[in-house]
Amino acid sequence: MLVKIANPIYDSVFKYLLEDERVARILISALLKKEVTKVECRPHEYVNKTRNTVSMFRIDFAATVREDDGTEHLVLVELQKTWLESETLRFRQYLGVQYGLKENVFREGCNKGYSMPMVAVYILGHTIGHIEEPVLYVNHECFDYDGNTVKKGIPDRFVESLTHDSIFVQLPLLSGRLANRLERVLSVFDQSHRDTSNHQFMHIDNSIYHGDSEMELVVRRLREAASDYDVRMDMNVEEEFFSALDDRDNALAQREKELAERNSQLAERDSQLAERDRLLRAMVKTMIANGMNVGQIADAIGESEEKIRTLLSDMDER
């Protein structure tokens, strides 16, 4: 059965979705491929209220991860979502801020003085170069001088404090994919399900999640978002912003095209003038060799005597 949900590519919907701790835990568990028993939003987690240049929504979680041996530990998950192709500098600047926050350093127990391990998650509304995988995991490893993998003593708290893993999700490449748990969770972001007349909403086949209580919860949350007045108003604001951004970018692209065409025309004209002068110099050289003076040459080819002298001067310099 097709059901109508709010499109989570919108910042307002994404925020609404992850404000439910259960949904946040489902998404982070799928991304980390580990059991996450608890997630907590970090202070000032929602960023990009000014929308100065691009939409880049950020939210920070402290996730309690349970390993296969039953031990639990905290992981800082820096989740960043963007509609548009963004400068990597913006991502790096934000990560730099997180590395510098005292709140991300343990103050008690045996971990005192060490920063929480961090995973940076990038949910992208665009593709990256020629990478064809919808989800890319970039995990750091440790090597000795000869390139051999170092396993003894790893993971180490000091090393984990100063390095981080990354996960890149390319939403355009998710179309119709349900091969694993993460793709199943991310399927609600699949933009091929967008309403053709209103991209704020999507229509998905709810039957594919039958019996999956977690995905039923995610879909229910997105259905609630679709009927929430404040969320819809925020989506309208986002669309107005991006419409203005598109108009600006299109205008800039048109101006760049016109400038390139003018430059091409000027270059062609300069080339034609240079060729004309070359031919004139050849004619003047022949006439001088035949004993004609400047005035006679000017009359013969319809140019001023000053132009003929300039051509003669150029020939002397050559």
Side-chain angles (χ1 to χ4, degrees), residues 149-169:
T149 301
V150 175
K151 295 184 177 180
K152 185 177 181 180
I154 301 298
D156 176 79
R157 293 171 186 161
F158 185 89
V159 174
E160 294 292 309
S161 294
L162 299 173
T163 56
H164 69 272
D165 295 336
S166 300
I167 304 171
F168 298 85
V169 178

Side-chain angles (χ1 to χ4, degrees), residues 119-299:
V119 178
V121 180
Y122 306 96
I123 297 182
L124 308 174
H126 60 86
T127 56
I128 309 170
H130 301 291
I131 300 173
E132 297 179 350
E133 291 299 321
V135 182
L136 183 70
Y137 285 83
V138 181
N139 301 327
H140 66 272
E141 292 187 31
C142 300
F143 303 92
D144 64 15
Y145 180 81
D146 296 316
N148 302 310
T149 301
V150 175
K151 295 184 177 180
K152 185 177 181 180
I154 301 298
D156 176 79
R157 293 171 186 161
F158 185 89
V159 174
E160 294 292 309
S161 294
L162 299 173
T163 56
H164 69 272
D165 295 336
S166 300
I167 304 171
F168 298 85
V169 178
Q170 302 183 82
L171 295 181
L173 300 183
L174 286 174
S175 184
R177 297 183 60 131
L178 295 167
N180 53 55
R181 181 58 182 172
L182 179 57
E183 289 181 356
R184 190 173 177 84
V185 172
L186 292 174
S187 63
V188 294
F189 289 86
D190 186 344
Q191 296 301 293
S192 65
H193 300 309
R194 290 185 304 184
D195 187 304
T196 55
S197 60
N198 187 345
H199 290 175
Q200 294 182 5
F201 302 104
M202 302 169 67
H203 298 279
I204 63 172
D205 183 0
N206 198 31
S207 64
I208 64 174
Y209 306 120
H210 180 69
D212 187 335
S213 60
E214 290 187 337
M215 287 309 300
E216 289 175 349
L217 172 64
V218 173
V219 172
R220 185 163 61 250
R221 183 70 175 173
L222 289 173
R223 294 184 70 178
E224 292 172 359
S227 60
D228 186 282
Y229 175 82
D230 290 335
V231 172
R232 294 203 310 273
M233 291 301 100
D234 285 344
M235 282 195 285
N236 289 336
V237 171
E238 286 186 57
E239 286 205 334
E240 290 176 5
F241 169 79
F242 282 108
S243 177
L245 191 63
D246 285 341
D247 290 343
R248 184 203 68 180
D249 290 345
N250 290 335
L252 287 174
Q254 182 62 30
R255 284 198 290 271
E256 289 176 357
K257 179 181 178 182
E258 292 172 354
L259 180 61
E261 290 175 352
R262 285 198 296 270
N263 289 339
S264 177
Q265 292 170 356
L266 288 172
E268 183 178 356
R269 189 185 69 177
D270 290 344
S271 176
Q272 291 172 348
L273 290 173
E275 177 62 15
R276 181 175 178 273
D277 283 351
R278 186 187 69 79
L279 294 174
L280 284 175
R281 281 193 295 272
M283 293 172 62
V284 170
K285 183 177 181 181
T286 300
M287 292 177 178
I288 290 291
N290 289 330
M292 296 176 68
N293 61 38
V294 171
Q296 291 171 328
I297 295 172
D299 290 339

